[in-house]
Amino acid sequence: QVQLVQSGAEVKKPGTSVKVSCKASGYTFTSRAIHWVRQASRQRLEWMGWINSDNGDTKYSWKFQGRVTFMRDTSASTAYMELNSLRSEDTAVYYCVRGGDKYDSWGQGTLVTVSS
Amino acid sequence: DIVMTQFPDSLAVSLGERATINCKSSQSVLYSSNNKNYLAWYQQKPGQPPKLLFYWASTREYGVPDRFSGSGSGTDFTLTITSLQAEDVAVYYCQQYYNSPLTFGGGTKVEIK
């Protein structure tokens, strides 16, 4: 079955960076894009952007442009999200999501806590 | 950005009764060339990621019980649970994927009365 398994929780200091991984299985990794969505406590889901798993093209939400980078390793069927210049408002659960005509498979989420 | 507005914020429904959740987009998410509404519904339970219920506004995802239905077009959409079960207690979100940035509604919390 399709699975997206994310890396574990992180605690980071303001101004630093975090890198979250998302390992896909159960389907051909390059056939579907990977999107990244975050959810802060008591906040609505927030889309960050996506990466074309085949050719590596990326599209970032204007809100995160310049501060986020998506990457992928096709040999490992893994996508990565790196967020820089962290601030307290970036404390959230980060999800990777399989995209396409439908967003049908979500990772379990990675809690990133930004605290001094 | 397309703003997605859900209402009500929460509702309490008796077991076996109907629950109706509304979602309104600030502009149409109907793509005229293929007549598809770029609108999805998700269910999220505590401590879990969202689960896809519907895409293209009314296409039920595999395994979703048929007591759930999605309807609407253009800017106005509805998720209906015809006979609420205990396992349906959750927060429900709508999402538009018509254009970037993809955006979500604020969520509707469904509880048992």
Side-chain angles (χ1 to χ4, degrees):
Chain A
Q1 75 283 16
V2 174
Q3 265 196 308
L4 298 176
V5 178
Q6 299 182 221
S7 48
E10 303 262 14
V11 179
K12 295 291 183 179
K13 297 226 183 285
T16 64
S17 300
V18 68
K19 189 173 184 178
V20 177
S21 67
C22 169
K23 182 169 177 60
S25 61
Y27 72 101
T28 301
F29 176 71
T30 52
S31 68
R32 301 279 291 270
I34 292 290
H35 292 243
W36 290 89
V37 174
R38 76 178 188 180
Q39 185 173 34
S41 180
R42 294 181 295 277
Q43 299 293 318
R44 69 178 63 195
L45 294 154
E46 187 172 35
W47 179 79
M48 301 177 71
W50 64 279
I51 182 167
N52 182 317
S53 305
D54 187 23
N55 63 18
D57 284 350
T58 55
K59 172 77 172 178
Y60 301 115
S61 168
W62 61 266
K63 182 174 179 180
F64 299 96
Q65 188 82 41
R67 207 162 65 94
V68 71
T69 304
F70 301 146
M71 297 152 282
R72 94 275 188 238
D73 179 347
T74 56
S75 67
S77 298
T78 300
Y80 302 90
M81 184 279 297
E82 185 170 35
L83 186 62
N84 304 314
S85 303
L86 290 168
R87 36 208 188 228
S88 59
E89 309 89 87
D90 294 318
T91 295
V93 176
Y94 289 76
Y95 295 102
C96 59
V97 188
R98 188 174 77 153
D101 282 350
K102 55 182 180 175
Y103 304 91
D104 57 352
S105 186
W106 292 59
Q108 83 276 19
T110 297
L111 175 61
V112 176
T113 303
V114 183
S115 174
S116 55
Chain B
D1 298 4
I2 296 178
V3 177
M4 306 301 291
T5 303
Q6 283 183 240
F7 52 97
D9 292 336
S10 64
L11 73 160
V13 176
S14 300
L15 289 172
E17 295 301 305
R18 176 187 296 261
T20 301
I21 301 168
N22 301 287
C23 173
K24 189 174 183 67
S25 57
S26 61
Q27 66 184 73
S28 176
V29 298
L30 174 62
Y31 194 38
S32 56
S33 66
N34 60 10
N35 202 37
K36 287 183 182 293
N37 287 283
Y38 284 61
L39 188 285
W41 287 99
Y42 299 89
Q43 174 194 66
Q44 186 176 33
K45 297 181 179 180
Q48 296 183 19
K51 172 190 171 185
L52 177 67
L53 298 178
F54 292 91
Y55 56 102
W56 303 135
S58 59
T59 301
R60 188 180 291 106
E61 175 64 343
Y62 304 123
V64 174
D66 60 7
R67 63 179 180 275
F68 290 89
S69 64
S71 63
S73 185
T75 61
D76 294 281
F77 300 90
T78 301
L79 175 69
T80 303
I81 311 171
T82 53
S83 176
L84 190 77
Q85 304 300 303
E87 61 265 32
D88 302 334
V89 169
V91 179
Y92 294 83
Y93 295 95
C94 60
Q95 175 213 19
Q96 67 80 20
Y97 48 104
Y98 180 83
N99 65 15
S100 176
L102 281 61
T103 48
F104 293 83
T108 296
K109 187 174 185 179
V110 174
E111 300 172 307
I112 305 295
K113 186 187 291 182

